[in-house]
Amino acid sequence: MDNWKVEVSYKPEVPDTVGQGILEDIADLGISDVNSVRTAMVYWIEGSLDTQNVDRIGSELLADPITQIYTFAAQDEAAKGWTLEVQFKPGVTDAVGDSTVKGINDLGITGVTAVRTGHKYWLTGTLNAEIIEVIAQRLLMNDVIQTFSYQKPAS
């Protein structure tokens, strides 16, 4: 059983309007130390898959080739900014994850047992753990059904 993490984000030249909106919402909270926010949709895929099938899922199902890129290697874990991930708590229905499983099956790819979805955010600025937690809890998640984790920038 393999677990794959696929991240779908906007290409660098494409404006991240969702991230821009979050940046404005952060400013509305009175937090002025955030310079930028980039976003990604995250898919945690469980099942027996090889790299070739994960690549097909990313290119044919999850990402829009015009505006988005996808990765399924932990390539930017040493990011310049803070990273924050939000996902559903165990046992919470993930409708997007369920429909992703159906889409994978429709591609003729078998062996996927479950897909969980979430969001990833890259934040730059003069930040600390306390500010990141406030942003997560006030703007980016619903504490009843979601959980979050974050990672400091690589020093």
Side-chain angles (χ1 to χ4, degrees):
M1 190 65 68
D2 297 319
N3 289 325
W4 294 87
K5 180 179 175 184
V6 180
E7 296 178 3
V8 179
S9 57
Y10 290 105
K11 292 180 177 179
E13 66 274 14
V14 175
D16 186 337
T17 53
V18 175
Q20 193 58 41
I22 292 168
L23 187 61
E24 292 166 11
D25 291 342
I26 291 169
D28 289 345
L29 286 178
I31 299 171
S32 59
D33 299 329
V34 180
N35 299 332
S36 70
V37 178
R38 297 281 295 173
T39 62
M41 186 74 185
V42 182
Y43 300 85
W44 290 274
I45 303 172
E46 297 171 22
S48 300
L49 291 171
D50 58 17
T51 309
Q52 186 178 359
N53 278 328
V54 176
D55 193 45
R56 273 192 67 208
I57 292 166
S59 63
E60 296 177 31
L61 182 66
L62 302 180
D64 173 352
I66 306 293
T67 60
Q68 296 174 319
I69 55 171
Y70 64 94
T71 58
F72 53 90
Q75 66 180 33
D76 62 12
E77 293 307 323
K80 291 190 272 297
W82 288 74
T83 57
L84 174 74
E85 286 185 354
V86 176
Q87 64 187 41
F88 289 110
K89 291 180 176 177
V92 174
T93 299
D94 184 341
V96 175
D98 294 345
S99 65
T100 302
V101 171
K102 183 183 178 329
I104 291 168
N105 290 333
D106 290 347
L107 287 176
I109 298 171
T110 59
V112 172
T113 54
V115 175
R116 293 179 304 115
T117 61
H119 291 90
K120 184 169 186 173
Y121 306 91
W122 293 271
L123 298 95
T124 62
T126 310
L127 302 168
N128 58 40
E130 187 179 355
I131 293 172
I132 292 294
E133 289 180 19
V134 166
I135 292 168
Q137 292 169 330
R138 299 268 309 273
L139 289 178
L140 302 178
M141 64 170 289
N142 176 341
D143 200 39
V144 175
I145 60 169
Q146 292 172 313
T147 183
F148 73 95
S149 60
Y150 58 85
Q151 200 167 357
K152 294 180 181 178
S155 42

